[in-house]
Amino acid sequence: AQHVALQHRRPLVVVFCLVSDYPGANLRHYGFMLKGLQEVEGNLLRRKIPFVLLEGDPAATLPRYLEKMKAACLLTDFDPLHVKRAWQKRVAAAMDGFFYLVDGHNIVPCWLTSPKLEYAAYTLRPKIKKILPDFLTEFPSLKTHTVNGSPFAAPSPGWQEIGRRVADQSVLEVDWLLPGEKAAGKALTRFIGKKLPSYHEKRNDPNEDGQSDLSPYLHFGHIAPQRAALLASGAKAKSEAKEAFLEELVTRRELADNFCYYNTNYDCFAGFPAWAQKTLNDHRDDRREYLYSREMLEHGKTHDPLWNGAQLQMVKRGKMHGYMRMYWAKKILEWSPGPEEALATAIHLNDRYELDGRDPNGYAGIAWSIGGVHDRAWPERAVYGKIRYMSYNGCRRKFDVNRYSTRWTGH
Ligand code: FAD
């Protein structure tokens, strides 16, 4: 945006449109996001770039604002999910001037990586690898914006007041992970120095602190995946470790965006591949050994301490370990009356409690677990059909399940 503004010798304003009732979001998410935005405001002001917070439906407030400011051009960030795509479409239709959509959400722009819905990681990987070097480049630094001076001094938004207007205050903020660009940078540096060297060995053990914890920062744009990929690529660590991390951060993450961008049913049963829909339909009437209401699941009141531990880790910490997320979603399929209910419950709980929820990775991860997306058919069994199964005993062979469940359930 600054490059375009400087080319045309125009002032630059950064605008954020805030809706206080974004689907699935509550105080936990807003608190993290607003504190990050407050830091953005300070960083921009130091470079003489005003930051404006608009409140209300972006499709209505933003075109009005652009008209008032006589804006020549709007640049906004790509997002593959329904809500923001609908806003962007309405804004583009309602405004005069140029409208640019920039994919800063991915390293390689989603529509360039592939023009179609990809079948699995193995079909996307070679496509990304081919063009990644063209896009995995350093960022231009933000300059002090002095052309024509600032258009005005924007009054600072009343940050605390805004927090009080958040519609859903029912899930509390967490204090173990500080929000914002600075904290994200520290988390990345710590990860590269301390955890990356053993990432390939420890990331799948829920008792270890082996993951990067970057997902909330990536979700809210407090750090770019490109920044993390640049640092990890140049780090001093074994190639297995770096490759394992870049596989998740680049291939898997960009595969999730591909899924949501090209499959408008990314959050529905109809979005599952044909073989998965068939096998789940074939097993609709199978007897379920356990059936739990959404409320029992939400409170971690099942017969399975490992599952309850995972659920409570998510509720208390706002971030379930990555390995447990697969087990967690698959058991919801096993204990629900049907796949549609399982999918809706998993999305509801994930979006409500995970700090990184309401993200393409979440929809893709849940669709992988429950609907075979990006996976293949496995030996058939009750309820799951040919969807890959995960068991308590399988987990027990991999890690200390008692240690994990005791830590999060307290018994
Ligand atoms: P790290 O292991 O350090 O990985 C670094 C980054 O790589 C992550 O931040 C993420 O951007 C990306 N990544 C890692 N694993 C995956 C994956 N399987 N698919 C796509 N990208 C990945 N991720 C979310 O960001 N939000 C969600 O709501 C979410 N829900 C999930 C639900 C289920 C059922 C499953 C199976 C996975 C889900 N994931 C989700 C993907 C993954 O579990 C998380 O991204 C990861 O655990 C976040 O922790 P981290 O940043 O410490 O990960």
Side-chain angles (χ1 to χ4, degrees):
Q2 183 171 57
H3 177 75
V4 174
L6 289 175
Q7 260 187 338
H8 294 89
R9 305 190 56 74
R10 300 284 293 238
L12 173 68
V13 181
V14 172
V15 182
F16 189 90
C17 297
L18 184 77
V19 287
S20 53
D21 57 353
Y22 189 92
N26 51 54
L27 188 62
R28 173 170 290 177
H29 310 108
Y30 278 103
F32 197 84
M33 181 179 81
L34 290 170
K35 290 185 187 96
L37 282 174
Q38 203 169 346
E39 193 180 322
V40 169
E41 181 199 25
N43 291 341
L44 289 170
L45 286 183
R46 275 193 287 287
R47 292 173 178 88
K48 301 203 180 326
I49 301 167
F51 172 85
V52 170
L53 192 103
L54 299 178
E55 285 187 71
D57 176 11
T61 55
L62 190 53
R64 269 204 303 273
Y65 181 77
L66 296 171
E67 199 183 320
K68 188 176 116 194
M69 298 303 292
K70 299 189 173 45
C73 176
L74 171 72
L75 292 101
T76 190
D77 201 13
F78 168 80
D79 189 293
L81 303 183
H82 297 315
V83 179
K84 288 188 202 150
R85 279 172 88 175
W87 285 343
Q88 287 164 348
K89 215 167 155 185
R90 285 170 59 207
V91 169
M95 68 173 276
D96 290 326
F98 293 99
F99 177 98
Y100 288 103
L101 188 67
V102 180
D103 188 356
H105 197 249
N106 292 288
I107 301 172
V108 182
C110 187
W111 53 87
L112 281 186
T113 306
S114 169
K116 62 178 175 69
L117 183 68
E118 289 295 331
Y119 190 71
Y122 75 87
T123 63
L124 187 86
R125 197 177 294 114
K127 293 181 181 168
I128 288 212
K129 284 209 167 147
K130 207 162 123 196
I131 45 174
L132 189 64
D134 294 345
F135 291 93
L136 190 55
T137 53
E138 256 309 330
F139 293 88
S141 58
L142 192 62
K143 305 175 185 70
T144 300
H145 204 86
T146 48
V147 181
N148 287 346
S150 299
F152 60 91
S156 182
W159 294 107
Q160 288 201 341
E161 264 308 304
I162 291 167
R164 280 196 272 275
R165 289 203 287 280
V166 168
D168 182 352
Q169 305 262 342
S170 62
V171 183
L172 296 182
E173 293 181 57
V174 299
D175 57 11
W176 66 274
L177 193 75
L178 290 177
E181 189 179 337
K182 208 168 157 190
K186 274 192 185 165
L188 176 62
T189 312
R190 177 172 167 261
F191 171 72
I192 300 284
K194 296 215 159 88
K195 300 198 260 178
L196 179 65
S198 54
Y199 180 78
H200 57 305
E201 291 158 352
K202 293 192 178 160
R203 78 195 158 105
N204 278 334
D205 185 340
N207 291 314
E208 291 281 354
D209 177 22
Q211 292 190 280
S212 68
D213 287 337
L214 286 177
S215 56
Y217 297 121
L218 291 166
H219 175 77
F220 287 105
H222 296 177
I223 200 160
Q226 187 163 334
R227 173 82 61 209
L230 278 170
L231 244 77
S233 308
K236 274 192 194 142
K238 280 190 191 154
S239 60
E240 299 107 281
K242 293 206 261 189
E243 274 164 26
F245 181 64
L246 292 171
E247 167 69 11
E248 302 301 335
L249 179 76
V250 183
T251 309
R252 297 280 164 178
R253 191 173 171 280
E254 306 213 353
L255 181 65
D257 268 35
N258 172 278
F259 171 63
C260 295
Y261 186 55
Y262 290 114
N263 187 339
T264 51
N265 287 317
Y266 61 76
D267 51 358
C268 316
F269 181 81
F272 298 166
W275 69 265
Q277 289 191 37
K278 179 174 183 318
T279 196
L280 288 168
N281 280 332
D282 289 347
H283 289 268
R284 274 189 190 279
D285 297 331
D286 290 1
R287 195 181 78 82
R288 270 79 176 150
E289 200 178 345
Y290 300 95
L291 273 180
Y292 293 110
S293 65
R294 189 178 277 188
E295 205 186 358
M296 288 180 83
L297 292 170
E298 184 158 10
H299 293 108
K301 298 271 181 228
T302 77
H303 67 284
D304 177 349
L306 179 60
W307 192 93
N308 297 342
Q311 171 66 20
L312 294 178
Q313 180 180 32
M314 175 172 75
V315 169
K316 292 177 185 168
R317 192 173 154 89
K319 187 169 179 287
M320 190 193 300
H321 189 278
Y323 186 81
M324 291 311 301
R325 294 191 197 208
M326 300 184 276
Y327 180 79
W328 173 84
K330 284 180 179 294
K331 292 293 152 188
I332 297 179
L333 171 64
E334 198 175 317
W335 303 332
S336 297
E340 288 85 355
E341 290 87 344
L343 183 64
T345 298
I347 291 177
H348 169 78
L349 296 176
N350 193 78
D351 286 358
R352 179 167 163 73
Y353 290 107
E354 296 282 20
L355 257 179
D356 59 24
R358 298 155 299 102
D359 189 281
N361 283 351
Y363 301 112
I366 292 170
W368 177 88
S369 309
I370 294 177
V373 167
H374 302 148
D375 204 0
R376 63 172 172 88
W378 290 75
E380 200 158 358
R381 57 186 303 134
V383 183
Y384 287 80
K386 294 177 183 167
I387 303 294
R388 186 197 296 247
Y389 171 70
M390 279 175 81
S391 73
Y392 180 89
N393 283 335
C395 291
R396 219 168 56 168
R397 284 193 290 276
K398 279 188 185 289
F399 64 94
D400 184 346
V401 291
N402 290 335
R403 187 173 152 212
Y404 176 80
S405 57
T406 307
R407 177 167 177 210
W408 294 106
T409 61
H411 46 80

